[in-house]
Every structure is written in structure tokens, then in C-alpha cells.
Amino acid sequence: MKKLHQCMMILLAGVLGACSSMSVDDPYIENYPADFSVQEYMALHPQLRSMQYKEAVSAYNDSVSKVMGGAYTAAKKTDDSLFMSNMDVLRAIFLDPYMGGGTQERWDKLLENKSSTDTSISNTAKRNFNSLSGFNFINQPDDILLLSQVPVDYDAIARQYSVFGRDHGWAYRLCRPEEGANIPRTALAIDKIQAVPVKDADSFVADNGLYCRDAAGIDRLIQ
């Protein structure tokens, strides 16, 4: 058991140490607007950071599975049950803007729906709750502490914009006061074009515009 614990600590250190930052010799650097800020882009699209948390947890759990072998399934079942019954931990994860991204109002509603006798509502709540299990480090007592130590891979977030976000019209910064009345992306032809599923990469039409997001959450064309 002591040897197993030591192995888990080594695995955990490896996962939490997997950190990188935005590279100055990024081959996609020409795809970034002059005023691009990876921190601001991440704040506008917190799901990118949330994915990093879940990827770190998944990488650790996969490694633990290989170490534990056949004993992992039972251990995971027990640990997941404990994790999903800890409402304080689940609430903290749900309310974190870069993890669950929820609000207290949504959390209260989630709890209400979870206990509802309405099958359709309770099933939706169950799916939302189950998604939180992706933040559970198996056989680790303090998931919140470990999650707080997962490094931000700014390079990956910046690259997401250069190879995907920009071509799909993702806003990369907040709108300035004078841009508050700019054309909404939803009013542009490209929005309708990209809303239609494409059969292959050759038929994809890239968005050549740059966009900001206003205080109401509307993405607007930067002119």
C-alpha cells in the first residue's frame, strides 16, 4: 500500500508539472491580432481552461489505472461515490468560472431539479452532476487543492485561437466603448454559412473577420 501511494504521488507530480507558456517562436504567430491577449481570450472562453482541468484529471486517473490494474475499477467506483456525495466540493467546482462556470442561482436550481420527480428534469440534472465527476482525482483526498495546482497551458489556449477560434469567428477580446454598436456576427452572412454542417474540410468556409464581445455577451465585428 505504501508503494502504491508513492507511485500515485509520482504520477500526480508528473501531471501537475506538465506546464507550458505561450512560445515566442510560435509558428502561428501571424494568426494573432496585434492586441491579442491569451489571458483575455481565456476569460471569454473559460471552457478551454475547463478542458485542461479535465485532461489533467483524466491523465492522472489513466496512469493510476495502469498501476492498480484490476483493483482500479472498484477503487474508482468507491471514490466517485464519495466525490459525488460531497456537495461542498461539487458546489465549489460548479461555481468556479474556469471549471463548472455556473452561478449560485443555477446551482440552487440544479439541486432543486435533481430532487424533482419530473423524469425529464431529473435526468437533465443527473447529466449535469455526472459531468462534475470529470474533476475527480481517484484516491486523492483533496480534489480542490489539486485542481488549484493544475497549471494553465497558455500556449494551447493561444493555439486554439490560431487554428480554430479565428476561422470560426470566436471573439478574442472585449469590445471597446466605441465598438458597442458594431455589426453583430449573427447579422453577417458567414454566421449563416458556418451554421450549416460541412461534409469535409474542403467545403469549410473560414471567417475572415475579427470579433469582440460586448457587455451583453454579443459578439461584434471589429471594423
Side-chain angles (χ1 to χ4, degrees):
M1 183 62 70
K2 182 177 180 181
K3 184 176 181 181
L4 177 60
H5 178 73
Q6 291 174 337
C7 287
M8 289 185 178
M9 290 302 100
I10 293 172
L11 294 174
L12 187 60
V15 169
L16 298 182
C19 176
S20 64
S21 59
M22 192 171 177
S23 174
V24 294
D25 59 351
D26 189 335
Y28 300 101
I29 195 68
E30 71 276 5
N31 288 338
Y32 301 121
D35 57 352
F36 180 83
S37 164
V38 65
Q39 290 85 358
E40 186 170 14
Y41 184 65
M42 182 177 73
L44 287 176
H45 306 285
Q47 68 271 30
L48 299 177
R49 173 60 172 150
S50 181
M51 289 173 59
Q52 291 186 2
Y53 283 117
K54 289 190 173 183
E55 287 170 358
V57 173
S58 179
Y60 170 75
N61 290 344
D62 286 346
S63 297
V64 171
S65 175
K66 293 176 182 178
V67 171
M68 295 186 69
Y72 177 76
T73 300
K76 183 179 186 303
K77 183 177 180 180
T78 299
D79 197 72
D80 278 342
S81 179
L82 290 172
F83 178 82
M84 296 303 291
S85 66
N86 191 330
M87 291 298 122
D88 289 336
V89 169
L90 295 181
R91 177 179 177 276
I93 291 173
F94 184 82
L95 296 181
D96 187 287
Y98 291 109
M99 292 185 199
T103 63
Q104 183 61 50
E105 181 180 5
R106 286 179 58 199
W107 173 255
D108 293 339
K109 191 67 175 177
L110 192 61
L111 292 182
E112 178 185 335
N113 290 344
K114 186 174 183 292
S115 61
S116 173
T117 56
D118 184 318
T119 303
S120 62
I121 294 178
S122 60
N123 283 341
T124 300
K126 184 177 181 179
R127 287 196 298 272
N128 289 333
F129 267 100
N130 286 343
S131 69
L132 297 177
S133 67
F135 295 96
N136 182 27
F137 288 92
I138 301 302
N139 282 356
Q140 291 298 326
D142 196 337
D143 295 282
I144 296 298
L145 175 62
L146 295 180
L147 288 167
S148 71
Q149 296 174 353
V150 174
V152 182
D153 188 343
Y154 288 114
D155 183 67
I157 291 173
R159 285 173 183 272
Q160 189 277 348
Y161 178 73
S162 69
V163 302
F164 181 90
R166 180 164 185 163
D167 287 346
H168 288 77
W170 285 32
Y172 76 90
R173 65 167 171 80
L174 293 172
C175 292
R176 295 163 184 159
E178 65 274 17
E179 296 170 330
N182 284 9
I183 302 172
R185 185 177 187 271
T186 53
L188 300 174
I190 189 64
D191 184 70
K192 280 72 177 178
I193 291 173
Q194 290 194 347
V196 178
V198 296
K199 296 181 179 179
D200 51 56
D202 291 336
S203 58
F204 173 73
V205 179
D207 191 328
N208 294 318
L210 294 178
Y211 300 90
C212 62
R213 181 165 297 170
D214 69 13
I218 298 172
D219 292 346
R220 298 181 179 276
L221 180 67
I222 297 175
Q223 299 172 325

